[in-house]
Amino acid sequence: MAVYTKLLRSNIEEILKEYNLNLIDYHMIKNGILNTNYYINTKEGKFVLRVFEGGREFSEENQELDFLLTIKNIIPCCLPLKNLSEKNYIIYKGKMIALFYFIEGEPIKDITENLLKEIGVYLGKLHSFSKGKILNRKSRIDMENYYNKIDFNFIPISAMEKMKIRSIYEEVKFFDFSKFPSGIIHNDIFPDNVFIKDGKIEGILDFNESQTAPFLYDLAIVINYWIRLYNFPKEIEEKYINTFLKEYEKYRKLEEGEKRALDKALKKMAITFILLRFDKFIIQNLNGVFIEDKNYSQLLPLLKYY
């Protein structure tokens, strides 16, 4: 999320006519870094308005929306609202826009064992359902693309950190993950993309970077960004990883090859998101963008593992 496209009240009222909704108030949503989002309060209910900023064909983006409707009874997720033409989205001033039903709750801030059990269950169910299914589009979360754009002379991190990132990149860039079980993955399942209410997961948000890819990527994101980044004591960290994977395997068993390759996936997902943030906050010009400060330095502690 973020706000790249500024919408006035009159713009939003025009958009809502396509849904027969009546605006009460709205505000920009700063969380996230990839798409524009607004909170929308109407007489008929609460919604999130997304302006798609990925540069994909509209038909490619709509694959995500269709997929969400197929998994609504499998995991709790953000669902698109149909417009008056019974479509998942509209085109407004050349931009693709969708409304999503608002999910009550708040992003995860503190990781607990119970939340790790829940996300293990939901990812296991999602991957079991999506095995072999195709989203025919490319995600923007692309390690090699980010790496090739970056001149490390302009990245303000230590020489040791630069050497570690280069070393990990060289180790994983030719590793063949395609031989492992794959299907549609979330691909960005950070704690702030999961809302909780009363201590339980209420909804999994922001599938906009979902794609067909090895299931190991989602598992690595959870282990890196729900567990290792929180710097738990070693025994708690190991317990949490085992708890998460145990719940996951109740719905999809890991192959022995996947278990052996998990370390490579952890390394790849660690530097992929570090490189993404280099690209977003150093390489790109974000002047005038209302965006959450997701600084790359927040992720650098992961390097100590690899």
Side-chain angles (χ1 to χ4, degrees), residues 99 112 121:
L99 284 184
T112 68
V121 167

Side-chain angles (χ1 to χ4, degrees), residues 36-95:
T36 291
N37 287 268
Y38 287 83
Y39 166 79
I40 306 293
N41 185 23
T42 74
K43 293 179 181 178
E44 295 76 17
K46 301 174 184 178
F47 304 91
V48 172
L49 182 154
R50 181 199 293 171
V51 182
F52 291 78
E53 308 285 8
R56 302 185 186 108
E57 297 291 329
F58 299 152
S59 59
E60 289 181 82
E61 297 286 25
N62 190 50
Q63 290 180 60
E64 171 207 349
L65 308 181
D66 281 339
F67 178 65
L68 289 171
L69 293 170
T70 69
I71 61 172
K72 64 181 181 180
N73 295 321
I74 297 170
I75 64 170
C77 58
C78 47
L79 296 175
L81 177 68
K82 297 283 188 182
N83 61 30
L84 294 176
S85 300
E86 284 298 307
K87 293 184 177 180
N88 295 328
Y89 65 92
I90 67 167
I91 306 302
Y92 181 76
K93 296 188 175 182
K95 294 273 192 173

Side-chain angles (χ1 to χ4, degrees), residues 147-182:
Y147 188 87
N148 290 335
K149 288 167 64 177
I150 289 170
D151 182 343
F152 277 90
N153 292 317
F154 297 99
I155 304 298
I157 60 176
S158 71
M160 182 69 72
E161 288 166 331
K162 292 177 184 178
M163 183 175 69
K164 180 66 73 72
I165 290 170
R166 289 190 177 105
S167 173
I168 295 170
Y169 176 79
E170 291 299 325
E171 179 183 347
V172 301
K173 72 174 180 177
F174 293 124
F175 188 82
D176 183 12
F177 287 97
S178 67
K179 60 189 175 183
F180 300 115
S182 65

Side-chain angles (χ1 to χ4, degrees), residues 182-199:
S182 65
I184 300 173
I185 67 170
H186 185 285
N187 208 33
D188 191 19
I189 194 154
F190 275 60
D192 58 1
N193 278 331
V194 179
F195 270 31
I196 60 171
K197 186 177 180 181
D198 299 325

